[in-house]
Amino acid sequence: MSTSTAAAPPPLPATRLADTLSPRRLMWLRFRRHRLAMLGLIVVGLIYFTAAFAEFLAPMDPNRAAARYALHPPQSITWFEHGEDGLRFRPSVPFYRMERDRRTLQARFVPDPDRRIYLRLFGEGDPYRFWGLFPASRHLLAPEQPGDPLFLTGADRLGRDVLSRTIYGARISMTVGLVGVALSLFLGVGIGGLAGYYGGRVDWVVQRLTEYVISLPTIPIWMALAAAVPRDWPPLTVYFLITLIVSLIGWTELARVVRGRFLSLRTEDFVTAARIDGCSEMRIIFRHMLPSFASHIIASMTLAIPLMILAETSLSFLGLGLQPPTISWGVLLKEAQNIRSIAAAPWLFLPGAAVVVAVLALNFLGDGLRDAADPHA
Amino acid sequence: MLHFIGRRLLAMVPFLLLTSVTVFTLIQLPPGDYLSNYAAQLAESSETVDQATLENLRQRYGLGQPLPVQYLKWMGGVLQGDFGQSFEWQQPVWPLIRERLGLTLLVTLSALLFTWAVALPIGIYSAVRKYSLADYLFTFLGFVGLAVPGFLLGLLVMYVAVTWFGQSVGGLFSEQYEGAPWSLDKVLDLLAHLWIPMIVIGLSGTASLIRIMRANLLDELNKPYVETARAKGLPEWKLLLRYPVRAALNPFVSTLGWILPHLVSGSVIVAVVLNLPIAGPLLLQSLLTQDMYLAGAFLLLLCCLTVLGTLLSDILLALLDPRIRFE
């Protein structure tokens, strides 16, 4: 551009800025403003990270049981130690001695002032196969003497580490949500898309079907379906069946969103233009219509994940869903069902806290996404 | 109005038929049936199996016959008020269910009332004082309420009761009233126990209702008629309750259609945790032991309750909004 022109073009008015940004960038900007949603994103990210690296992050093998550590109380870490050369980084936990009440013979754990269990970062511990593939034995935090008790959040009835079990549980519980949502998405977008795109009789049938499924009392139906899954089937099969059952009910909301969008888009000019251009149905749906409401679908999906996590947890809690030795948050909570054991060992609630945090974070995230996807909502 | 209700009732018929087919399929799904399991169990403990009795039962319910025949036999019985025989309890299903159904309704309806009593005022307050500290607080609490599954809340309440107050809080009656005939004392005892399940079950729906109420009212508050009323000098609370709140209630009522099924659903798991003598625990047990007619009757009745809830909300909505009546 020539520099001789006297007047520089006036700066774009603020409202015009929106026109120059891509929709995706706009969405991100709107999302960023949502504090709680950002927090949700971080927490959800952390939880999935934990689930992905469970073997390494868990201090112990979740199935290692030791009767003498049954209901061992939580040990708190002291990170630094006073030595001759001042403060030194040397994490340790107190050692608990077991005493038996003379009369009731009940076991009690008392901290032993003379003995501490020293910990090592990236220390050797229980061997595992990382992602079932690579043999390894390093843990983020492990006792210096392998085999020493390390129960950061206490032990359960059989002397297994509650923290390790909760971390492994995240793997199952959090993926039930993902796999379930993927299945619901498949059903919802397929069925809802069909109804919205073709309209007419197809739409009528799909609408009645959706209404029907929505009006069924969810939990009793889930229970009946889950009760039909034979308990002696391999854990992986049960896992997929339970996920399928959970998503069988969850697809309706997505179908409704998709149908509504398709119906409103069907008569838009750009769709008509594409049709006149001779685009195939497939191309119109996937290239032109789907992108314009993909963000809505993502938001609805995010909001559907917590529902599925809760569903799996509830079913497993009732003993109808996943069965031990599979570890999920619901299975763990089932073990906490006995009120007497909880009164004695409140740390058995930890998986429950994990459920609440995960669901809360996913809800915040989904809410923020929905607001960002649709500024008019 | 009668015409509207009649049409809605007619629309329910195919719906209920479909429901009964679904329920029957569900209770048929598990492999094997109770009778063969029962026979196997008896054989294992080397007791004599009375083949004649088994055969009799088999005949009566058409077990081993094609499924449609079994369905028709079952459905025929249900239509005459015979829900079949509970294998496990060795008695007809209906008396087992009857007492529990009443209590289920009671618990669910009181939970619904609690939900409304909490959600309405908070929703109104949150809308009027938008973005105030209390609004944020309620919104946050609402989110937490959504995230805590009912059974976990039940467990927490029991934990607090046991560790802090040293008493257990399960059940709906004290021990001495459990099998007793109804009396004033028993009712009072029931009321004393009712509030915990009411809160635990009711809280799950409260959060979403607060949000709905808040959003509805926010839509109304900016409308010109509110401004007009204010300009005419109506006191603020009177203005609020008389006009925008009434208008905002409309979509609120339509949520009754799903809140009731939601509560019925939610009560099932909470009832198992809190050991309530309502539908949930018996349904769970019957599902686990494949006591199919008991499970079937429960499922069918819970579905009917759901349909009834939807119908109720439709009628209420039509009463409130003439446009729906004449659609």
Side-chain angles (χ1 to χ4, degrees):
Chain A
M1 206 185 264
S2 81
T3 42
S4 60
T5 345
L12 286 172
T15 47
R16 295 275 305 175
L17 185 68
D19 300 341
T20 60
L21 294 173
S22 72
R24 204 158 295 174
R25 176 115 190 101
L26 264 178
M27 221 180 117
W28 172 241
L29 283 179
R30 277 197 298 268
F31 182 76
R32 281 272 302 274
R33 276 210 312 255
H34 214 301
R35 291 269 167 75
L36 277 177
M38 280 304 282
L39 185 71
L41 181 66
I42 293 168
V43 173
V44 169
L46 277 176
I47 293 176
Y48 275 112
F49 177 83
T50 311
F53 297 100
E55 290 98 342
F56 170 70
L57 292 172
M60 275 200 201
D61 184 339
N63 290 317
R64 195 174 77 177
R68 66 200 149 120
Y69 299 134
L71 298 182
H72 192 289
Q75 301 157 306
S76 59
I77 303 186
T78 315
W79 291 100
F80 295 94
E81 197 181 62
H82 286 286
E84 297 111 45
D85 45 351
L87 218 53
R88 218 150 52 94
F89 178 75
R90 189 143 191 239
S92 66
V93 292
F95 178 81
Y96 280 78
R97 227 162 356 106
M98 192 176 72
E99 282 179 358
R100 278 203 188 277
D101 194 302
R102 291 254 166 97
R103 273 189 323 145
T104 60
L105 290 180
Q106 212 157 37
R108 250 183 336 142
F109 288 92
V110 276
D112 188 338
D114 303 330
R115 199 175 149 196
R116 293 192 73 79
I117 297 166
Y118 288 99
L119 309 176
R120 189 179 286 159
L121 287 176
F122 307 108
E124 293 274 340
D126 293 328
Y128 55 84
R129 294 185 83 86
F130 187 63
W131 289 350
L133 296 174
F134 319 108
S137 60
R138 298 269 166 198
H139 294 259
L140 179 63
L141 208 57
E144 277 182 357
Q145 301 290 325
D148 271 355
L150 172 61
F151 301 107
L152 295 179
T153 60
D156 68 0
R157 209 163 30 82
L158 297 178
R160 295 171 296 195
D161 182 26
V162 170
L163 178 66
S164 300
R165 290 176 73 72
T166 308
I167 289 177
Y168 272 82
R171 185 168 274 181
I172 300 286
S173 291
M174 294 301 281
T175 51
V176 163
L178 282 188
V179 178
V181 154
L183 285 172
S184 305
L185 181 73
F186 182 72
L187 283 169
V189 170
I191 296 175
L194 225 71
Y197 189 78
Y198 290 107
R201 206 163 295 168
V202 180
D203 185 34
W204 189 88
V205 171
V206 168
Q207 271 231 314
R208 295 294 89 75
L209 182 72
T210 325
E211 272 170 27
Y212 176 65
V213 176
I214 287 180
S215 69
L216 289 174
T218 338
I219 291 173
I221 297 289
W222 271 336
M223 285 166 65
L225 277 170
V229 178
R231 226 132 294 169
D232 46 357
W233 281 11
L236 200 67
T237 319
V238 174
Y239 168 80
F240 277 113
L241 279 175
I242 294 293
T243 315
L244 185 71
I245 288 170
V246 167
S247 61
L248 266 183
I249 310 284
W251 62 269
T252 49
E253 188 53 42
L254 270 173
R256 277 219 299 217
V257 173
V258 172
R259 173 186 166 272
R261 289 282 141 179
F262 260 113
L263 273 183
S264 63
L265 283 178
R266 213 156 50 123
T267 49
E268 286 282 327
D269 287 343
F270 71 90
V271 175
T272 318
R275 192 166 294 137
I276 292 170
D277 258 1
C279 289
S280 68
E281 302 274 279
M282 277 302 178
R283 190 176 162 81
I284 292 177
I285 292 177
F286 286 103
R287 188 79 193 89
H288 295 281
M289 292 170 90
L290 213 58
S292 65
F293 60 88
S295 50
H296 286 266
I297 294 183
I298 292 171
S300 313
M301 273 171 61
T302 318
L303 286 171
I305 295 177
L307 292 181
M308 310 221 162
I309 293 177
L310 285 181
E312 182 276 319
T313 311
S314 305
L315 283 179
S316 302
F317 176 76
L318 289 178
L320 291 170
L322 303 170
Q323 306 289 335
T326 310
I327 303 171
S328 83
W329 289 337
V331 173
L332 294 180
L333 279 172
K334 183 177 165 47
E335 288 169 9
Q337 197 175 18
N338 185 339
I339 192 66
R340 220 163 282 142
S341 66
I342 282 201
W347 51 87
L348 292 178
F349 269 130
L350 183 72
V355 172
V356 173
V357 169
V359 170
L360 206 57
L362 278 163
N363 271 330
F364 284 145
L365 176 63
D367 238 42
L369 278 178
R370 193 176 51 190
D371 286 356
D374 188 1
H376 311 296
Chain B
M1 194 62 210
L2 275 179
H3 180 73
F4 173 81
I5 296 178
R7 221 176 43 196
R8 289 287 323 185
L9 279 174
L10 265 184
M12 270 170 63
V13 174
F15 188 88
L16 285 177
L17 273 178
L18 198 59
T19 311
S20 71
V21 175
T22 313
V23 167
F24 186 76
T25 321
L26 281 176
I27 57 175
Q28 279 292 344
L29 266 182
D33 57 55
Y34 185 87
L35 283 186
S36 26
N37 286 356
Y38 182 63
Q41 231 173 47
L42 283 184
E44 229 168 65
S45 55
S46 67
E47 274 178 61
T48 45
V49 187
D50 187 1
Q51 285 299 334
T53 321
L54 280 184
E55 202 45 49
N56 225 339
L57 283 169
R58 219 174 271 283
Q59 279 286 317
R60 179 153 171 221
Y61 295 112
L63 295 180
Q65 286 177 355
L67 285 182
V69 177
Q70 285 193 45
Y71 168 74
L72 286 179
K73 278 201 169 177
W74 179 63
M75 208 48 217
V78 167
L79 287 180
Q80 290 163 30
D82 173 20
F83 283 87
Q85 195 85 10
S86 161
F87 298 123
E88 209 194 349
W89 295 73
Q90 309 251 337
Q91 54 167 307
V93 164
W94 179 238
L96 275 174
I97 284 185
R98 198 176 40 203
E99 50 182 321
R100 287 184 178 241
L101 207 62
L103 287 175
T104 307
L105 265 178
L106 178 75
V107 170
T108 316
L109 285 179
S110 57
L112 180 68
L113 285 183
F114 172 81
T115 308
W116 278 3
V118 173
L120 269 177
I122 293 183
I124 295 174
Y125 182 87
S126 288
V128 176
R129 300 256 182 283
K130 196 174 145 191
Y131 300 138
S132 67
L133 192 67
D135 179 23
Y136 277 121
L137 186 73
F138 286 134
T139 309
F140 183 76
L141 283 182
F143 265 118
V144 175
L146 271 182
V148 181
F151 70 85
L152 195 60
L153 196 63
L155 274 180
L156 275 175
V157 169
M158 286 176 81
Y159 173 71
V160 169
V162 165
T163 49
W164 291 0
F165 302 107
Q167 56 176 351
S168 101
V169 290
L172 276 180
F173 300 105
S174 308
E175 255 172 62
Q176 67 261 38
Y177 293 112
E178 208 125 306
W182 284 99
S183 63
L184 186 64
D185 287 340
K186 188 173 179 179
V187 173
L188 288 179
D189 183 59
L190 172 65
L191 289 181
H193 281 81
L194 188 61
W195 62 277
I196 288 179
M198 178 179 92
I199 293 176
V200 172
I201 298 171
L203 268 184
S204 64
T206 311
S208 42
L209 269 194
I210 291 179
R211 291 164 66 82
I212 292 171
M213 187 64 207
R214 180 176 178 272
N216 288 346
L217 194 55
L218 277 179
D219 282 347
E220 292 295 325
L221 279 180
N222 292 325
K223 291 199 171 155
Y225 73 88
V226 180
E227 205 66 16
T228 314
R230 193 170 289 139
K232 285 168 79 176
L234 257 165
E236 192 66 25
W237 63 271
K238 207 169 172 183
L239 160 118
L240 205 66
L241 289 186
R242 187 165 290 179
Y243 302 110
V245 167
R246 255 172 65 185
L249 268 182
N250 204 345
F252 200 77
V253 171
S254 67
T255 59
L256 202 148
W258 62 260
I259 193 94
L260 206 59
H262 178 84
L263 288 175
V264 171
S265 248
S267 73
V268 170
I269 295 182
V270 173
V272 172
V273 177
L274 290 180
N275 195 18
L276 306 177
I278 63 175
L282 205 55
L283 172 65
L284 177 66
Q285 200 192 343
S286 61
L287 283 173
L288 286 174
T289 54
Q290 285 194 33
D291 195 350
M292 58 182 272
Y293 294 111
L294 188 56
F298 266 128
L299 285 174
L300 202 59
L301 285 172
L302 287 178
C303 288
C304 287
L305 273 185
T306 312
V307 176
L308 222 63
T310 319
L311 179 74
L312 218 67
S313 82
D314 278 354
I315 292 175
L316 273 178
L317 209 57
L319 278 174
L320 273 179
D321 190 344
R323 282 170 304 183
I324 295 170
R325 240 176 296 164
F326 299 112
E327 188 192 308

